[in-house]
Amino acid sequence: MAVTSTRIRLGALLGGAVLATTGVLTAQSAVAAPSATVASDASSAVAAAKLSHSDAANRLHGAGISWTSSGGCSDRNNPTCTSFEQINLTSVQGAITLKGASGCALTITGGTETGHASGTYSHWNGYKLDFSPTSCLSNYITGTFTNIGPRPGDGAQQYKSGSGNVYARESNHWDVTYYNCGGC
């Protein structure tokens, strides 16, 4: 089946499910997985894989990752909510990879809801998650990843993982930019 539809069922998108050289979706990738939106160009499929709030929440919950919302809601258009609507699949997978690698309890405090800084690699566009800065998580990030200096604009200290994801220590949370799933 050629990847021409804008809605397909995704299984293991990473790990060979989408053959970038042929643009073919394998049957293995279409089994029992939440829906995600995929671009018609197979080479951009990984970056464009978006999840609904419920799909992302189920994956995170299944991995033992919790989240909190100051407004007690998940409305993407309300800045006091924590939403996962339209989050990149690789961002969710990256959070799951972080939990497994660090062994830390993770609590997400920010997702794709409005109210964050704009830009290509932004919360709104599905690339970022905010995490509570527990001592376990902070020690793991600062002890494992490379310090790349302060972020221009706000001076948040940044750490880069071997896979290229960036962890910025803001005043009350870790702001993580997931360019990929971190080796999932």
Side-chain angles (χ1 to χ4, degrees):
M1 160 199 292
V3 181
T4 57
S5 172
T6 57
R7 297 288 290 174
I8 60 174
R9 303 284 287 173
L10 290 177
L13 178 62
L14 300 172
V18 175
L19 303 176
T21 56
T22 63
V24 174
L25 177 67
T26 65
Q28 175 188 22
S29 67
V31 295
S35 296
T37 303
V38 176
S40 60
D41 175 1
S43 64
S44 65
V46 172
K50 300 286 187 179
L51 299 177
S52 69
H53 177 83
S54 62
D55 289 344
N58 287 336
R59 288 171 185 254
L60 293 165
H61 178 76
I65 299 171
S66 62
W67 56 93
T68 186
S69 165
S70 61
C73 50
S74 62
D75 179 355
R76 183 170 195 207
N77 295 303
N78 182 337
T80 66
C81 297
T82 297
S83 176
F84 304 126
E85 190 64 38
Q86 294 298 301
I87 193 164
N88 293 339
L89 172 62
T90 53
S91 296
V92 171
Q93 291 171 322
I96 294 168
T97 299
L98 176 62
K99 174 148 178 46
S102 69
C104 299
L106 297 181
T107 302
I108 297 170
T109 60
T112 61
E113 65 281 347
T114 190
H116 298 280
S118 62
T120 301
Y121 298 103
S122 64
H123 283 272
W124 183 262
N125 289 337
Y127 288 91
K128 288 188 168 204
L129 286 170
D130 291 341
F131 294 93
S132 292
T134 64
S135 58
C136 180
L137 181 59
S138 295
N139 290 337
Y140 176 78
I141 291 169
T142 60
T144 306
F145 303 141
T146 303
N147 184 315
I148 58 171
R151 183 167 60 190
D154 67 357
Q157 205 54 231
Q158 300 178 104
Y159 297 83
K160 189 172 187 178
S161 70
S163 64
N165 296 324
V166 176
Y167 298 72
R169 182 59 167 92
E170 294 186 8
S171 63
N172 64 353
H173 63 272
W174 282 100
D175 176 78
V176 182
T177 306
Y178 287 106
Y179 296 104
N180 58 65
C181 68
C184 62

